[in-house]
């Protein structure tokens, strides 16, 4: 791919970003907390099932099971709403960290590597939320801070990028070849997505790579995870819905990378000094 073509793509992406600067930060936060909002709502509709599962899994009694559901219900919906309003972000992120930890232990995810990695990677989005809240300097986006030479925030942005990339890797489905076209889409997802995610991870052509991935993952998510097409009584509905909102969180993380920039620990930042 020629450098002129890449330069044109970067210029076009900058134009789009400037036109969307007023609502892109909010959209980033919404996508990031979408999986928490969905899970909080699920706790309400599946209260009895979730409480019984915790009770039977840990033999802890219905009181502890109900307490688990209450914490995960209000501990996700309220902090997510406050994050969207940019109120008490540090406290809300701490509560959401606690939810992730509680679910990891409560559901026995510690012994399921794939789901454990997803939960760990979900923390990447929360780290980016903290990075935004801790920043003070202005950027090209109204109301969005930049990290400048502040090393703690730079490393937080690096951690966020790496964990978002980790979540993307856990979303790559296994090849079953039950449906040829679906497997072709999954293969293209790997071929296209993996190199771009590596660029995001190391901070090279970060905004351009993130923009392409956001558009790409949006359409891939709708095609591969159409949970609305499954019967709600079937287990597949919940699995596909879970993947849909997890992918939405990856998109939210990428949008945050676009709004915040790659940070000081990145190739893009170091190129300025060359």
């Amino acid at each position: 791919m020629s450098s002129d073509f890449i330069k044109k793509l970067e210029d076009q992406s900058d134009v789009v970003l400037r036109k969307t600067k007023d609502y892109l930060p909010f959209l980033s936060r919404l996508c990031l907390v979408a999986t928490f909002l969905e899970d909080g709502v699920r706790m309400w509709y599946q209260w009895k099932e979730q409480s019984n599962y915790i009770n039977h899994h840990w033999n802890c009694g219905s009181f502890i099971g109900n307490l688990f559901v209450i914490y995960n219900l209000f501990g996700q919906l309220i902090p997510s709403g406050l994050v969207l309003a940019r109120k008490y972000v540090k406290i809300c992120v701490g509560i959401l960290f606690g939810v992730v930890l509680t679910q990891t232990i409560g559901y026995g995810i510690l012994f399921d590597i794939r789901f454990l990695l997803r939960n760990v990677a979900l923390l990447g989005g929360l780290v980016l939320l903290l990075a935004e809240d801790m920043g003070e300097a202005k950027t090209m986006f109204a109301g969005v801070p930049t990290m400048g030479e502040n090393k703690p925030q730079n490393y937080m942005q690096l951690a966020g990028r790496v964990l978002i990339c980790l979540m993307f890797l856990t979303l790559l489905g296994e090849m079953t070849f039950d449906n040829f076209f679906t497997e072709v889409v999954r293969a293209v997802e790997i071929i296209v997505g993996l190199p771009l995610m590596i660029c995001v991870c190391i901070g090279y052509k970060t905004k351009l790579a993130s923009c392409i991935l956001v558009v790409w993952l949006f359409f891939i998510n709708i095609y591969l995870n159409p949970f609305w097409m499954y019967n709600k009584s079937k287990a597949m509905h919940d699995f596909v819905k879970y993947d849909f909102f997890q992918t939405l969180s990856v998109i939210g993380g990428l949008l945050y990378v676009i709004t915040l920039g790659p940070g000081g620990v990145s190739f893009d930042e170091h190129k300025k000094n060359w």
Side-chain angles (χ1 to χ4, degrees):
M1 189 177 293
S2 69
S3 58
D4 290 340
F5 180 68
I6 293 177
K7 184 65 170 61
K8 288 180 180 179
L9 284 178
E10 288 180 321
D11 291 340
Q12 289 299 316
S13 65
D14 284 339
V15 171
V16 173
L17 294 179
R18 285 189 172 87
K19 288 182 178 180
T20 58
K21 65 180 181 180
D22 292 331
Y23 51 86
L24 192 57
F26 176 81
L27 184 60
S28 305
R29 292 192 295 273
L30 179 60
C31 289
L32 269 178
V33 301
T35 188
F36 292 107
L37 290 171
E38 185 276 330
D39 196 57
V41 172
R42 184 173 62 89
M43 287 292 164
W44 173 260
Y45 284 106
Q46 297 181 3
W47 186 305
K48 185 177 181 180
E49 293 88 338
Q50 297 297 324
S51 177
N52 288 339
Y53 177 83
I54 295 299
N55 181 18
H56 293 147
H57 186 73
W58 293 100
N59 194 26
C60 58
S62 59
F63 176 76
I64 299 298
N66 286 322
L67 207 60
F68 176 88
V69 175
I70 291 171
Y71 174 68
N72 281 276
L73 171 62
F74 293 105
Q76 294 186 94
L77 294 182
I78 294 176
S80 294
L82 290 173
V83 163
L84 291 176
R86 299 188 70 179
K87 302 291 185 182
Y88 311 107
V89 175
K90 291 186 181 67
I91 296 174
C92 292
V93 168
I95 294 173
L96 292 174
F97 262 96
V99 168
V100 173
L101 179 61
T102 302
Q103 290 193 358
T104 300
I105 297 172
Y107 291 131
I109 296 174
L110 284 169
F111 309 104
D112 189 318
I113 297 299
R114 187 184 181 195
F115 284 99
L116 175 62
L117 288 177
R118 284 196 181 189
N119 268 23
V120 171
L122 193 58
L123 301 180
L126 298 179
V127 169
L128 290 174
L129 284 171
L130 276 180
E132 181 203 21
D133 187 65
M134 293 175 67
E136 295 178 355
K138 294 181 179 179
T139 66
M140 61 179 288
F141 294 99
V144 180
T146 186
M147 302 302 111
E149 297 299 322
N150 196 319
K151 289 186 178 180
Q153 282 84 356
N154 283 328
Y155 288 119
M156 287 176 69
Q157 283 181 277
L158 171 63
R161 293 201 319 268
V162 172
L163 290 173
I164 289 297
C165 293
L166 177 62
M167 183 181 284
F168 173 79
L169 292 177
T170 66
L171 289 171
L172 297 178
E174 297 180 358
M175 295 291 191
T176 61
F177 296 99
D178 292 334
N179 184 309
F180 177 75
F181 184 72
T182 298
E183 299 312 323
V184 169
V185 172
R186 289 195 181 278
V188 175
E189 179 186 17
I190 296 172
I191 295 170
V192 173
L194 200 54
L196 291 172
M197 268 298 177
I198 292 173
C199 288
V200 172
C201 188
I202 66 177
Y204 178 71
K205 302 290 184 184
T206 316
K207 287 189 176 181
L208 176 60
S210 298
C211 285
I212 296 173
L213 276 169
V214 165
V215 176
W216 173 250
L217 287 176
F218 175 78
F219 289 106
I220 285 292
N221 198 26
I222 291 175
Y223 176 75
L224 292 180
N225 302 313
F227 65 90
W228 52 88
M229 295 180 64
Y230 291 85
N231 191 313
K232 290 184 179 181
S233 63
K234 302 295 183 181
M236 185 57 68
H237 174 270
D238 289 337
F239 282 116
V240 176
K241 189 176 183 180
Y242 176 76
D243 278 351
F244 179 88
F245 281 95
Q246 290 281 301
T247 304
L248 208 58
S249 291
V250 174
I251 292 173
L254 291 169
L255 288 173
Y256 246 119
V257 170
I258 293 170
T259 58
L260 289 173
V265 188
S266 64
F267 274 89
D268 288 343
E269 187 66 26
H270 285 293
K271 279 196 306 181
K272 298 176 182 178
N273 302 321
W274 291 353

